[in-house]
Amino acid sequence: MSHKKQIFNPNPEFAKNAAIPSMDAYWELQNRAIEDYEGFWKGFADEKIDWLTPYDKVLDESNAPFYKWFTNGKLNVSNQCIDRHLADKADKTAILFEGDRGDVEHITYAQLSRRVNKMANLLKNEFGIIKGDRVVLYMPMIPEAAYAMLACARIGAIHSIVFGGFSAEALKDRIEDAKAKIVITADGAYRKGKPYMLKQVVDTALEQGVGSVEGVLVVKRNNEEINWVDGRDHNYNELITAQPDVCPFEEMDSEDPLFLLYTSGSTGKPKGVQHSGAGYILWAQMTMEWVFDVKGEDVFWCTADIGWITGHTYIVYGPLAAGTTTLMFEGVPTYPDAGRAWKMVQDHKVTQFYTAPTAIRVLHKMGEDEPKKYDLSSLKVLGTVGEPIDPPAWMWYYEVVGNSKCAIVDTWWQTETGGHMISPLPGATPIKPGCATFALPGIMAEILDPDGTPKEVGETGLLCITKPWPSMIRTIWGDPERYKKSYFGDAVKEGKAVYFSGDGAVLDEDGYITITGRVDDVINVSGHRMGTAEIEAAVKDDPSVAEVAVVGKPHPIKGESIFVYVVLKEGHINADIKNHINQLLAEEIGNIAKADHVIEVPGLPKTRSGKIMRRILRSIAKGEAITQDISTLEDPSIVEAIISKAREA
Ligand code: PRX
């Protein structure tokens, strides 16, 4: 029997106490949402959110697709994550930090409260940050990153975190687009036993003249020697001590922006996905309770970086809103050896472990039986996110890591969705390897044709969300037209534009949804989402490059790898084209954008109207036979020439 056909039922012991304990309970909730959508959400918003002023309308669709949720309600997300827990959880560990070198710190909710209040005062008093100001974070995985996020939320500033792997150039673009007033960074951090530097990347970004930035706040982590710009740079560790430890929170409107997070699209520059407070925090908390089933003394570990949406929602906001203990790890799960992650699960009695398929494949490859050397009996739920998981990796995760007793929640979602959308429920859903299963209660996912016709079983179609949901993207920062075009331009249902995710999906005969991957020009390398257009733009900046096309090539560990075809200008020769292009990509975007394959070709396959036929390039990258009709190409002979170049490489 192939893995795909196997079904694994929830562990009955676990299901007994699960938040959603059966498929009947799932359907009861989902049917309630179908029958009375606003009533469904109202019930949870009233139960879960600590409203400072009640809202007057659940959902305002009058200016679709610029939806508003819980209109005129007032709340504060840092209250939702911290203050309201202090009555009964002051001494509970909120953040359990483990450093790369094994140093461990337990930060209680009371301590978190003091530190966030102080940081909020520092932002106000030293930098004059007020509600609506943008604050860029370029931070390692240390607790101060979480304090900074929550401090922004407390005073109503909008944070925009830039992943520490992005280059100075990419950082500069994001700072400029958001017109950030300050940048918060660290001198560096530790990774795989070595210090790595962040502050110098900020220096390089700012040297190019970013007018909006008035100051840089620097947290000390590894005490490496750093450049210091007097007047601009401020020392967090010195300034924080004098700050009062109470900073009253701002009353924020439900729809006030909470944060921006830049992500890649199929065209143009990265887009600043804008999320607002109430809907986002509600769903972050609900999915922690439903999908991860956190309760009591659970220790929840999400291995993502806070620079990505997974880190936002499932290291900081979701776990803290749910009042749980969140494990934050500075290092990588494979250092110093293949047992690091499993040792941490054992040491901290981790109950939910959430990671990416790439990490699962790496850990599997490094030590098939490694998990068996550790006591992993605390684990209850295993999660995966970011890319399709192949059934063999899924089976290893299920059988060896989870000892065939933990549910695997294959969670499909996106930066734009704020939280999980399609996922098994650990106490309810019979799971199938590699399958994201069903839309969560309240989420209306459909697989459609562009005209809104639902796809038949077995037919791949566009994965759409046909009703707005609370934690959805509100707009693209500074570009509402692009928001409309990017997400509401591809599929229409009953005359109404619906949200199209950019992913394809397929239903099986049991109604299970399997994600088939992006159908647009976005590639997913180790769970990092990148636009081919963005990579092409970076390569085109090189004076020797005439033309370029970038495609994804399936990769056994990374999911996909980057494959670059370049045409050089007349008279240019480059013996080491791969290094040359990769250096450029590292500078313009970051090391994550380096290509596995770069080949120089005499031309690109184009239609007579000049459109590059990427499908052909994808087939060549995969080493597949070309089945497309190439007779209509401007120059059909180019295909043979590219194939022979690809073979040589
Ligand atoms: O293609 C889908 C893939 O990751 C994309 C979203 O990337 P990003 O916004 O960076 O967010 C990643 C973390 C939520 C999606 O469009 N993706 C995400 N989860 C899954 C997935 N593909 C297959 N299965 C998943 N579980």
Side-chain angles (χ1 to χ4, degrees):
M1 196 156 49
S2 83
H3 294 314
K4 277 261 180 215
K5 294 267 185 289
Q6 277 177 281
I7 286 210
F8 300 87
N9 285 314
N11 177 340
E13 274 309 299
F14 177 87
K16 262 194 231 158
N17 297 312
I20 301 183
S22 64
M23 282 311 277
D24 285 348
Y26 163 79
W27 281 114
E28 203 268 316
L29 280 166
Q30 185 63 321
N31 286 331
R32 210 195 308 158
I34 292 167
E35 280 153 26
D36 175 13
Y37 197 61
E38 291 190 28
F40 172 89
W41 289 109
K42 180 178 184 334
F44 290 108
D46 292 350
E47 180 196 329
K48 310 276 179 196
I49 301 282
D50 186 6
W51 293 104
L52 307 171
T53 305
Y55 53 89
D56 46 38
K57 199 169 175 5
V58 174
L59 169 63
D60 176 357
E61 300 189 77
S62 60
N63 189 24
F66 299 93
Y67 299 103
K68 290 187 178 146
W69 282 87
F70 313 116
T71 53
N72 298 318
K74 300 276 185 283
L75 79 163
N76 184 284
V77 166
S78 87
N79 170 47
Q80 186 73 16
C81 292
I82 308 172
D83 305 49
R84 73 185 181 104
H85 298 313
L86 294 177
D88 61 343
K89 296 194 177 81
D91 297 328
K92 176 173 179 169
T93 301
I95 299 178
L96 201 177
F97 173 71
E98 180 162 323
D100 184 65
R101 296 160 304 162
D103 44 318
V104 170
E105 191 186 3
H106 284 255
I107 300 142
T108 65
Y109 274 92
Q111 286 169 321
L112 177 66
S113 171
R114 267 196 303 282
R115 294 177 195 182
V116 169
N117 275 268
K118 276 172 165 288
M119 177 92 100
N121 277 323
L122 195 162
L123 298 181
K124 273 166 62 168
N125 300 338
E126 288 294 321
F127 297 96
I129 298 292
I130 55 167
K131 181 176 165 178
D133 283 343
R134 273 82 59 211
V135 172
V136 162
L137 272 62
Y138 189 69
M139 293 285 279
M141 289 286 294
I142 55 175
E144 286 78 4
Y147 307 159
M149 293 165 78
L150 292 157
C152 287
R154 195 162 188 87
I155 61 177
I158 305 167
H159 61 70
S160 169
I161 307 187
V162 179
F163 172 59
F166 278 118
S167 68
E169 189 65 29
L171 173 63
K172 185 200 81 170
D173 289 347
R174 285 159 177 76
I175 298 171
E176 271 180 341
D177 191 77
K179 297 193 177 53
K181 203 162 166 185
I182 65 164
V183 178
I184 307 180
T185 189
D187 51 355
Y190 298 98
R191 207 179 145 81
K192 296 190 190 173
K194 293 194 198 87
Y196 80 95
M197 311 293 279
L198 286 164
K199 167 71 162 56
Q200 65 196 34
V201 182
V202 175
D203 290 338
T204 311
L206 296 182
E207 266 161 25
Q208 302 172 48
V210 185
S212 63
V213 174
E214 293 172 12
V216 176
L217 181 62
V218 186
V219 178
K220 278 211 178 319
R221 169 64 183 155
N222 62 10
N223 292 308
E224 289 295 310
E225 206 163 297
I226 51 172
N227 174 43
W228 199 258
V229 180
D230 285 330
R232 186 196 75 183
D233 295 347
H234 300 250
N235 183 327
Y236 167 86
N237 304 67
E238 275 172 15
L239 293 170
I240 199 73
T241 49
Q243 299 301 321
D245 53 15
V246 177
C247 174
F249 52 74
E250 283 286 328
E251 288 210 0
M252 302 298 290
D253 189 273
S254 294
E255 281 298 321
D256 281 334
L258 177 65
F259 64 82
L260 309 179
L261 184 56
Y262 284 79
T263 190
S264 298
S266 53
T267 55
K269 58 183 178 110
K271 37 197 185 186
V273 170
Q274 183 178 318
H275 279 287
S276 57
Y280 171 81
I281 201 68
L282 173 64
W283 193 232
Q285 185 178 327
M286 286 173 68
T287 50
M288 283 301 297
E289 294 168 359
W290 284 355
V291 176
F292 294 124
D293 209 78
V294 287
K295 42 171 65 90
E297 298 310 305
D298 281 357
V299 175
F300 177 82
W301 184 16
C302 164
T303 69
D305 189 281
I306 45 129
W308 309 115
I309 191 68
T310 308
H312 283 61
T313 310
Y314 298 110
I315 293 178
V316 180
Y317 287 118
L320 297 176
T324 198
T325 298
T326 180
L327 174 57
M328 186 176 194
F329 177 42
E330 183 186 30
V332 296
T334 49
Y335 179 84
D337 55 48
R340 178 66 180 269
W342 315 128
K343 182 171 185 309
M344 284 178 63
V345 169
Q346 170 181 283
D347 289 353
H348 301 303
K349 301 196 167 43
V350 170
T351 42
Q352 290 89 356
F353 179 69
Y354 190 34
T355 195
T358 294
I360 297 167
R361 290 189 287 260
V362 170
L363 289 165
H364 181 192
K365 199 168 163 221
M366 285 181 75
E368 169 103 38
D369 292 324
E370 196 67 24
K372 293 183 185 153
K373 297 184 193 154
Y374 298 87
D375 176 6
L376 306 184
S377 59
S378 55
L379 287 171
K380 297 192 284 191
V381 180
L382 299 173
T384 125
V385 58
E387 26 165 351
I389 178 162
D390 45 301
W394 193 102
M395 285 306 299
W396 178 75
Y397 202 29
Y398 184 77
E399 288 176 340
V400 181
V401 181
N403 197 19
S404 303
K405 71 174 181 61
C406 300
I408 294 199
V409 290
D410 177 354
T411 61
W412 175 84
W413 60 295
Q414 310 177 293
T415 305
E416 293 87 344
T417 70
H420 302 150
M421 301 294 278
I422 300 175
S423 171
L425 294 163
T429 317
I431 43 179
K432 302 184 187 186
C435 179
T437 76
F438 299 100
L440 292 174
I443 301 302
M444 304 299 153
E446 291 187 59
I447 302 170
L448 303 173
D449 263 340
D451 67 1
T453 314
K455 285 288 190 187
E456 301 286 329
V457 166
E459 282 179 8
T460 301
L462 310 179
L463 177 57
C464 297
I465 312 297
T466 54
K467 265 184 174 297
W469 66 102
S471 66
M472 71 188 292
I473 174 176
R474 292 305 193 266
T475 189
I476 291 174
W477 179 257
D479 201 347
E481 274 312 304
R482 190 172 176 202
Y483 162 74
K484 262 170 115 168
K485 238 175 92 189
S486 306
Y487 305 107
F488 296 89
D490 294 276
V492 173
K493 195 190 164 194
E494 289 154 12
K496 222 165 101 181
V498 294
Y499 177 89
F500 170 49
S501 60
D503 280 301
V506 60
L507 278 183
D508 73 7
E509 59 282 5
D510 300 323
Y512 280 59
I513 301 170
T514 295
I515 312 298
T516 54
R518 302 289 303 199
V519 298
D520 54 6
D521 288 319
V522 168
I523 52 181
N524 195 328
V525 183
S526 305
H528 298 156
R529 171 172 161 185
M530 271 175 285
T532 52
E534 202 183 328
I535 303 171
E536 287 169 6
V539 176
K540 263 188 210 138
D541 274 354
D542 188 80
S544 70
V545 171
E547 285 187 294
V548 55
V550 171
V551 297
K553 174 183 160 88
H555 185 280
I557 299 286
K558 297 192 274 192
E560 277 186 289
S561 61
I562 298 171
F563 198 119
V564 182
Y565 297 88
V566 270
V567 183
L568 293 181
K569 284 183 187 156
E570 282 281 320
H572 285 271
I573 304 168
N574 198 322
D576 195 4
I577 190 82
K578 185 173 171 189
N579 269 334
H580 180 71
I581 297 293
N582 273 336
Q583 208 178 331
L584 199 72
L585 289 172
E587 278 165 24
E588 298 257 331
I589 302 175
N591 284 332
I592 54 170
K594 281 188 178 169
D596 278 17
H597 306 270
V598 180
I599 62 168
E600 194 209 323
V601 291
L604 296 172
K606 286 186 194 158
T607 59
R608 292 205 181 102
S609 60
K611 189 173 170 278
I612 297 173
M613 294 293 290
R614 279 162 210 284
R615 271 212 346 235
I616 294 179
L617 294 174
R618 277 195 283 269
S619 299
I620 297 174
K622 282 188 200 163
E624 284 175 358
I626 307 293
T627 52
Q628 296 94 330
D629 175 16
I630 59 169
S631 64
T632 55
L633 292 184
E634 187 189 41
D635 173 10
S637 71
I638 205 77
V639 174
E640 216 23 73
I642 300 173
I643 292 173
S644 75
K645 279 280 190 177
R647 272 204 208 105
E648 279 168 32

